[in-house]
Amino acid sequence: MDVRIEEGWKHKLAPEFAKQYFETLTHFVKEEYSKGPIYPPAKLIFNAFDLCPFEKVKVVIIGQDPYHGPGQAHGLCFSVPDGIEFPPSLVNIFKEISDDLHAVAPASGNLERWAQQGVLLLNATLTVKAHQAGSHQNKGWEQFTDAAIRVLNDEKEHLVFMLWGSYAQRKCEFIDRQRHLVLQSPHPSPLSAYRGFFGNGHFSKANAYLSENGLEPINW
């Protein structure tokens, strides 16, 4: 199956595109888009991969679902396009960055600037029905995104995995912690941010690790 995705990722994930589950998933997703609003726009389903080529990945942040409100999702976990109000979790992410790095909070919630520096902003499920969180879970996306995480774990060195909340932590249980830095904390959601997301220092820890291993730190 010919999938429109960044060439490095296309090569690494080619075995997945040939599997039956991916064909079934593709049919399901196309059918869903034909019926009504699905997010993100179809051309942005693989935006996380397109903006952060395999060879450039330095940091991996795992989300669960795309945002399911109009205009919010654009294929990068936790991110919203320019001009869109910050969702609560993103507000808390920016608060932690400000506290951790003594940085001024940005005016835009668009995290493309992170992706272009090597931050893979990967949702476990890459599509969702409007206003129905979790509606495209268990259709095959999780198997696909597991494969992406596995190839990163197996073929790269000195990655930073930021795993916020139990879902992300379970999804990345197989990461080799001898070769990569795994940072874990509660989720930035208002329901859990005060239980350990605030004060986790993940952004400064990530940059210190990258620098120690001869990699350019991220301008968060």
Side-chain angles (χ1 to χ4, degrees):
M1 180 178 296
D2 185 32
V3 177
R4 294 180 185 175
I5 192 171
E6 187 272 328
E7 282 301 317
W9 281 110
K10 190 171 188 174
H11 174 70
K12 298 296 183 183
L13 295 173
E16 301 306 306
F17 301 140
K19 292 178 180 177
Q20 180 61 50
Y21 88 85
F22 195 85
E23 183 176 338
T24 302
L25 170 64
T26 300
H27 288 311
F28 167 76
V29 170
K30 286 180 178 177
E31 182 80 7
E32 287 287 280
Y33 274 96
S34 74
K35 291 178 183 174
I38 303 295
Y39 302 127
K43 65 182 180 182
L44 298 179
I45 290 174
F46 296 112
N47 205 24
F49 300 96
D50 293 336
L51 292 178
C52 187
F54 181 84
E55 294 305 324
K56 293 187 177 180
V57 179
K58 296 190 285 190
V59 179
V60 182
I61 298 177
I62 302 292
Q64 190 164 353
D65 264 347
Y67 295 124
H68 54 82
Q72 292 181 304
H74 65 140
L76 306 175
C77 72
F78 295 108
S79 177
V80 290
D82 295 327
I84 299 295
E85 183 179 355
F86 299 178
S89 290
L90 187 57
V91 171
N92 289 339
I93 289 169
F94 287 157
K95 181 181 186 304
E96 175 57 24
I97 290 172
S98 180
D99 292 346
D100 185 19
L101 301 175
H102 309 294
V104 177
S108 172
N110 189 334
L111 303 182
E112 288 182 7
R113 62 187 183 275
W114 291 6
Q116 290 161 355
Q117 296 177 77
V119 182
L120 182 66
L121 294 158
L122 184 63
N123 278 313
T125 303
L126 298 188
T127 55
V128 70
K129 189 177 290 189
H131 311 298
Q132 294 186 35
S135 51
H136 286 186
Q137 291 179 5
N138 303 314
K139 302 295 184 182
W141 280 131
E142 294 90 344
Q143 186 172 342
F144 176 73
T145 51
D146 278 353
I149 296 167
R150 284 187 186 279
V151 74
L152 286 167
N153 175 69
D154 294 346
E155 298 192 21
K156 294 184 77 77
E157 301 281 344
H158 309 308
L159 294 177
V160 179
F161 288 86
M162 292 184 172
L163 308 180
W164 302 329
S166 57
Y167 182 91
Q169 289 158 22
R170 287 195 305 273
K171 189 169 180 67
C172 294
E173 284 176 340
F174 57 83
I175 299 301
D176 183 348
R177 295 170 187 241
Q178 301 301 311
R179 294 169 49 221
H180 307 292
L181 176 64
V182 177
L183 299 172
Q184 298 188 178
S185 82
H187 195 276
S189 158
L191 298 174
S192 55
Y194 285 95
R195 297 207 297 265
F197 178 80
F198 291 138
N200 66 18
H202 281 188
F203 302 95
S204 59
K205 290 173 183 174
N207 278 355
Y209 179 82
L210 292 173
S211 295
E212 287 165 10
N213 287 286
L215 299 167
E216 188 74 21
I218 305 298
N219 179 9
W220 299 105

